[in-house]
Amino acid sequence: MTASASVTPGGANAAYPPEGEDAALSRWQRLAGLLSRCYLAAQRAARALVSGVHTRWRRSLQLRVVTTTLAISGLVTAVLGFFLMQQVQAGLLDAKQDAALHDHRAGLTYALSVLQDSAESDRDRQLDRITEDLGARSGSTGLYEVIILPSVGGMTGRASGDVSEASVPERMREEVRNSTELEKQFYGYTEIIRGNGTEPGLVVGSQLSSAFELYYLFPLDHEQEMLDLVQGTLLLVVSALILLLAAIAYVVTRQVVIPVRQAASSAERLSSGDLTERMKVQGEDDLARLAVSFNDMAGNLQEKILELEELSQVQRQFVSDVSHELRTPLTTIRMAGDLLYDDRDELDPTMRRSVELLQSQLERFEELLADLLEISRHDAGAATLAVEAGDIRDAVLRAVGDAEQLAERRGIKVVLRLPAEPCVAEFDVRRINRILRNLIVNAIEHSEGKDVIVTAAGDRDAVAVAVRDFGVGLKEGEEHLCFDRFWRADPARARTTGGTGLGLSIAKEDALLHGGWLQAWGMPGKGAQFRLSLPRKAGAELRGSPLPLAPPEMAIGRGRVLPAAQTELDSSWSGGLGDTP
């Protein structure tokens, strides 16, 4: 038996493209990639150029003035140039028409006189003579060409030079033939056809006799040259004028812009704190008056600021001195009050109540003096930090423990939401504990009997604690006023905790001393939330907070997405007072 085998077209490698096609496809791909990169680079360069020009346009008064002057002057000169060219062109054409009609009238008179003196049999020879004589009158410059055309068929026309009879428009011929007046002139514009091309021209014609018509063709090349010369000269003058106006605008605006820039620089230096900055006064014009007024304003401002600084220094010194001086008599009164308070059980009920009131007011007086001393230290820049590494969760638990009795008296539950992992940061334990205790006490005081939520969180660079209540909340703008000294949201509201009105101010100063933030959020009827944010490392710049300023439920209500970190915190654990992770 004979074995046979079939071969698939293309052989064993038919499923793969030939090696040459692979190389060509690779080259096209590289070329396409190169073109794409070039296009993107050009697009970025164009965007950068447009952005740079736009920025320069917005920031440079001089550029806007010069550019506007160029645009307006260019538009005005273009309009004036257009009308000027129209007037020049009309004047040249009118003069050419008058001269053409005069020359044609003279030639027509001569031709009529020749035809009247000739016999009918000699008509062809006389037409040749008329054409030759009239063509000779145009001179060597070729002022015009003469064409005599028959009005009826069967006759031949005559033309001087190499001009074609087709140069006369058919429409004009119809007007001339249909004219009832023998010597009435018609004129119009046409293309003069010669053996070597065409040129624009003016044609004038009239009836020479009942059988013939006389036409003059006037080339307009001289007028075109004059128009080109005028147009070129006008463009040159207009360009020079625009550049001159731009230069004038540049010089004029420079005289105004430079003093304005100097005034702006002086104002920037003055606003940055350089109270000795003054402008140079040159001349007696409006800019000089501006400089004088600026210098007077700067001088008055410097005097007022110095007066305020001196007054502030006196006030700070007064508060510090009074606070220190009051501690001595307060210590004596405190000792006497403590003796009376220890023996209050031996006194009658009325005296015992008086001794208890004296003890509570002495404690409030001591808190007020301590707050005044702390404020005076911050004002004097003498406040310092005893930084150590600590877990912010421990600080929260200590502050909640300090407010435990107040929460129990008010029947309020403090809910803790602390992360399972430690949130270690470098901070002054005493000051941070004071901040948190103040925030929690304030929240309990304004919670209207509802729960208070304390949340802590941390990320790579910062830690934060948020204290949330569901009380009366804050009105618009009060989130900043609440940190002012002795400010109260409701002056008519009775104080039950005996606060001094300086707690939030001191807390704000303590947070700033750590390089952190103390911020407030509130809505009427929705409660308030205070957020303390601290950098993990002392002295580092705080760029963000692990907790949102607005409560999560309010953020969701505004259409915002709840951060994943906040969701994890809320789901970690939630307990009552004293709970631990």
Side-chain angles (χ1 to χ4, degrees), residues 2-241:
T2 303
S4 64
S6 63
V7 180
T8 303
N13 296 325
Y16 301 94
E19 184 177 355
E21 294 183 7
D22 281 342
L25 180 60
S26 177
R27 286 195 297 271
W28 278 111
Q29 290 176 346
R30 289 196 299 269
L31 180 59
L34 179 61
L35 292 177
S36 176
R37 289 192 296 271
C38 292
Y39 172 76
L40 293 177
Q43 191 177 31
R44 287 194 296 268
R47 289 179 179 176
L49 179 61
V50 172
S51 177
V53 171
H54 183 259
T55 302
R56 180 68 176 172
W57 173 265
R58 288 188 295 105
R59 295 182 178 179
S60 177
L61 174 63
Q62 189 173 13
L63 176 61
R64 292 199 300 271
V65 171
V66 173
T67 304
T68 304
T69 303
L70 278 173
I72 295 177
S73 60
L75 178 62
V76 171
T77 52
V79 173
L80 293 178
F82 174 77
F83 284 107
L84 179 60
M85 286 298 300
Q86 292 295 321
Q87 292 296 323
V88 171
Q89 182 177 356
L92 288 175
L93 294 179
D94 289 343
K96 188 66 174 180
Q97 290 173 7
D98 293 340
L101 291 174
H102 180 270
D103 291 342
H104 181 269
R105 174 64 63 182
L108 180 61
T109 302
Y110 170 76
L112 290 174
S113 64
V114 171
L115 289 178
Q116 289 176 358
D117 296 339
S118 63
E120 187 69 25
S121 59
D122 200 25
R123 181 62 55 87
D124 291 338
R125 188 174 62 83
Q126 294 300 331
L127 290 175
D128 294 336
R129 175 188 170 189
I130 291 172
T131 302
E132 183 179 356
D133 290 345
L134 294 180
R137 289 185 180 185
S138 65
S140 59
T141 57
L143 183 60
Y144 55 83
E145 300 291 346
V146 179
I147 295 180
I148 299 178
L149 297 177
S151 300
V152 295
M155 300 182 182
T156 58
R158 280 86 172 165
S160 64
D162 57 351
V163 66
S164 172
E165 297 178 2
S167 301
V168 180
E170 189 63 31
R171 182 178 179 181
M172 178 174 284
R173 293 199 61 187
E174 290 290 337
E175 293 177 353
V176 171
R177 284 196 295 265
N178 297 331
S179 176
T180 58
E181 300 180 18
L182 184 62
E183 298 181 5
K184 183 178 180 180
Q185 293 177 303
F186 297 87
Y187 65 90
Y189 297 98
T190 184
E191 289 286 338
I192 301 177
I193 303 174
R194 298 182 183 272
N196 54 357
T198 61
E199 58 181 322
L202 174 66
V203 57
V204 181
S206 65
Q207 290 186 6
L208 182 60
S209 64
S210 59
F212 292 96
E213 305 155 7
L214 177 63
Y215 296 96
Y216 271 31
L217 297 174
F218 295 85
L220 297 178
D221 51 351
H222 178 66
E223 285 73 16
Q224 185 64 45
E225 291 176 358
M226 291 186 63
L227 286 176
D228 293 341
L229 177 62
V230 172
Q231 185 176 5
T233 304
L234 186 61
L235 288 175
L236 181 62
V237 172
V238 166
S239 301
L241 180 61

